[in-house]
């Protein structure tokens, strides 16, 4: 007989969070993921952060868990799990290792999107790569222009055989360092219609990571999210095959792609906050010294410690509920049930709430634990460094301003890299 505990994921913070609202199949998959997180991913997190390089063993555990396959649509043999499931998985991975969470996030987003904008004839092969090869996708899109929305300078020049010759350099290439395939975005200067609509020249290319012409610099040296290994990648004389172009002109990038990745960052930030509080609990109860004025023998009985823990938990629970709700809205939008603004505005709210809750929780754990907790040997700074780094993606002030503009004027945020 199956133990019910084996088919349900572990609580996030005791019973402080609402139910995740997932199906029985999705919760069973989360329970499996939890076991790999506990046995393989969480124990290696601090070491991977210290080295600041791709978390090879943890990504191998992701592959064994089966979670990389969950975003493949049922029509192509995959589980076809919901976006809510994806965000819950990102929260749980963020608790253990936010770098692994971000690498999974990139793969999941790319997998979900490629089945929308790719040519129908290549979709079975894409499904095969994830389901049968157990492949993981990395991303190469951002460039070091003066502005983040400058036109792409990485060029994909058409060749007589139907493939492309690609040259350029990318930065912030999360997941690309040891991916099986890199989704490389480039600009085709010979594409039809680009004089009136430059987006018609933007294309995604699915490139095997061992293709000649790829140089992975391994130069990532950041304050946080160190193990994402999101450094520069140079493409020099990279020749692609005709079927490596995986986007139909005019259909990619998707108008709501920015909203999906904002929801994902919110999930990872919530996970970091939860992870910080989880790490703080045994320290507070076992090592922290109570303040004399509290008149208690254990710091966990200090009313101000309890108050702060409760406040941080409440903020994270609210951000968690908002973030998971965006998963339902993503799926509803893709089914044509709601317009883009009905997805964008709640996503902005979730990103703002998660940024505040995650950064505050990862910072305020030191106030909970006291001076002993700032010893370098404790490693508690990892949570804050990672949360602070992620929070800089899509600055929260702009999420506030855009949400406020919508509420005050009815403005519909247009599709964009960060809107």
């Amino acid at each position: 007989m199956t133990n019910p505990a084996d088919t349900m994921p572990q609580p996030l913070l005791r019973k402080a969070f609402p139910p995740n609202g997932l199906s029985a199949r999705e919760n069973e998959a989360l329970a499996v993921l939890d076991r790999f997180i506990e046995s393989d991913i969480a124990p290696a997190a601090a070491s991977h952060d210290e080295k600041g390089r791709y978390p090879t063993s943890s990504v191998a555990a992701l592959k064994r868990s089966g979670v990389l396959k969950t975003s493949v649509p049922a029509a192509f043999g995959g589980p076809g799990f919901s976006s809510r499931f994806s965000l819950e998985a990102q929260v749980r991975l963020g608790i253990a290792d936010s770098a692994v969470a971000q690498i999974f996030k990139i793969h999941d987003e790319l997998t979900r999107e490629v089945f929308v904008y790719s040519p129908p004839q290549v979709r079975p092969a894409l499904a095969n790569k994830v389901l049968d090869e157990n492949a993981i996708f990395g991303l190469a899109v951002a460039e070091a222009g003066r502005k983040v929305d400058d036109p792409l300078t990485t060029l994909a020049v058409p060749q007589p055989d139907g493939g492309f010759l690609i040259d350029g350099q990318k930065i912030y290439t999360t997941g690309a360092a040891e991916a099986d395939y890199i989704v490389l975005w480039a600009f085709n200067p010979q594409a039809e219609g680009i004089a009136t609509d430059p987006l018609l020249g933007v294309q995604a290319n699915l490139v095997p990571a061992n293709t000649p012409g790829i140089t992975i610099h391994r130069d990532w040296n950041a304050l946080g999210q160190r193990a994402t290994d999101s450094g520069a990648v140079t493409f020099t004389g990279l020749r692609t095959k005709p079927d490596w172009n995986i986007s139909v002109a005019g259909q990619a990038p998707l108008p709501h792609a920015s909203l999906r990745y904002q929801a994902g960052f919110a999930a990872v930030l919530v996970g970091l906050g939860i992870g910080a509080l989880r790490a703080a609990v045994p320290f507070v109860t076992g090592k922290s010294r109570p303040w004399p004025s509290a008149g208690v023998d254990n710091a966990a009985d200090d009313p101000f410690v309890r108050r702060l823990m409760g406040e941080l938990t409440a903020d994270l629970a609210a951000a968690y509920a908002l973030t998971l709700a965006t998963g339902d809205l993503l799926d509803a939008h893709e089914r044509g049930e709601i317009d883009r603004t009905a997805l964008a505005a709640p996503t902005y709210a979730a990103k703002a709430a998660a940024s505040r809750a995650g950064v505050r929780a990862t910072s305020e754990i030191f106030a909970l634990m006291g001076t002993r907790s700032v010893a370098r040997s404790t490693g508690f700074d990892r949570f804050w460094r990672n949360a602070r780094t992620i929070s800089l993606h899509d600055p929260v002030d702009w999420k506030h301003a855009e949400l406020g503009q919508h509420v005050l004027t009815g403005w519909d945020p247009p599709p964009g890299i960060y809107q």
Side-chain angles (χ1 to χ4, degrees):
M1 180 178 292
T2 302
N3 184 347
D6 293 336
T7 61
M8 289 299 294
Q10 296 298 312
L12 296 175
L13 274 178
R14 300 193 192 275
K15 298 181 180 180
F17 282 57
N20 60 30
L22 297 173
S23 69
R25 285 183 65 228
E26 290 173 324
N27 273 318
E28 287 176 7
L30 282 178
V32 173
L33 178 61
D34 270 350
R35 291 195 285 274
F36 281 93
I37 288 174
E38 182 178 2
S39 63
D40 296 88
I41 297 173
S47 174
H48 285 148
D49 175 79
E50 183 179 1
K51 292 176 182 176
R53 289 294 171 257
Y54 193 88
T56 305
S57 64
S58 293
V59 172
L62 279 185
K63 290 187 174 187
R64 294 195 301 275
S65 76
V67 72
L68 297 179
K69 305 177 182 183
T70 55
S71 50
V72 176
F76 293 93
F81 282 178
S82 66
S83 294
R84 175 179 277 260
F85 168 87
S86 170
L87 294 172
E88 175 75 18
Q90 290 174 54
V91 168
R92 291 175 178 273
L93 288 167
I95 292 170
D97 188 333
S98 56
V100 176
Q102 188 173 342
I103 290 170
F104 167 74
K105 168 187 180 299
I106 292 294
H107 167 87
D108 185 85
E109 290 167 353
L110 291 172
T111 305
R112 290 176 184 277
E113 292 176 2
V114 74
F115 284 97
V116 178
Y117 58 60
S118 61
Q121 65 271 20
V122 307
R123 294 177 187 177
L126 291 169
N128 176 73
K129 294 181 190 307
V130 180
L131 297 176
D132 297 333
E133 294 182 25
N134 209 14
I136 187 167
F137 296 158
L139 180 63
V141 60
E143 296 182 351
R146 180 64 182 85
K147 297 189 295 183
V148 296
D149 56 353
D150 281 348
L152 292 178
T153 61
T154 299
L155 299 183
V157 179
Q159 300 298 294
D161 66 353
F164 293 85
L165 181 67
I166 300 180
D167 289 278
Q169 186 174 79
K170 301 292 186 177
I171 61 172
Y172 302 146
T173 58
T174 300
E178 294 185 20
D180 297 303
Y181 294 90
I182 300 172
V183 177
L184 165 60
W185 290 87
F187 184 76
N188 176 0
Q190 299 178 22
E192 293 184 9
I194 59 173
T196 54
D197 184 1
L199 282 178
L200 292 175
V202 176
Q203 67 180 48
N205 308 271
L206 189 67
V207 181
N210 60 359
T211 306
I214 299 176
T215 302
I216 298 173
H217 295 282
R218 311 306 285 259
D219 56 354
W220 184 242
N221 185 23
L223 171 76
Q225 292 301 91
R226 291 173 46 75
T228 62
D229 210 359
S230 302
V233 178
T234 300
F235 302 93
T236 306
L238 173 68
R239 293 187 176 273
T240 72
K241 295 181 180 179
D243 58 355
W244 289 4
N245 181 358
I246 56 169
S247 63
V248 175
Q251 295 187 24
L254 299 179
H256 64 289
S258 63
L259 303 174
R260 183 181 298 281
Y261 71 63
Q262 287 178 48
F265 279 123
V268 180
L269 282 161
V270 169
L272 275 164
I274 297 170
L277 296 190
R278 280 190 179 183
V281 168
F283 196 97
V284 170
T285 57
K287 296 183 179 180
S288 296
R289 295 190 295 181
W291 194 247
S293 301
V296 297
D297 294 328
N298 192 295
D301 297 323
D302 184 325
F304 285 103
V305 171
R306 289 181 171 182
R307 176 188 178 278
L308 179 56
M309 177 62 84
E311 190 173 326
L312 299 175
T313 300
D315 288 348
L316 286 168
Y320 168 81
L322 278 172
T323 299
L324 287 199
T326 65
D328 298 336
L329 296 174
L330 279 163
D331 291 344
H333 176 70
E334 292 180 341
R335 292 192 299 265
E337 297 170 2
I338 62 173
D339 64 22
R340 189 181 184 279
T341 301
L343 167 62
T347 301
Y348 293 171
K351 179 62 166 54
S355 295
R356 286 196 301 274
V359 172
R360 187 181 179 212
T362 55
S363 174
E364 290 297 304
I365 57 168
F366 298 102
L368 282 173
M369 297 183 290
T371 308
R372 292 180 173 183
S373 66
V374 300
R376 288 178 61 86
S377 60
T378 65
F380 292 126
D381 63 300
R382 173 168 58 93
F383 297 103
W384 178 83
R385 287 188 289 101
N386 291 334
R388 180 72 275 183
T389 300
I390 292 176
S391 70
L392 301 177
H393 206 293
D394 311 287
V396 70
D397 283 341
W398 277 105
K399 298 302 104 186
H400 292 154
E402 290 161 353
L403 184 58
Q405 184 177 358
H406 168 71
V407 172
L408 288 168
T409 69
W411 170 76
D412 293 321
I417 297 176
Y418 295 107
Q419 287 183 324

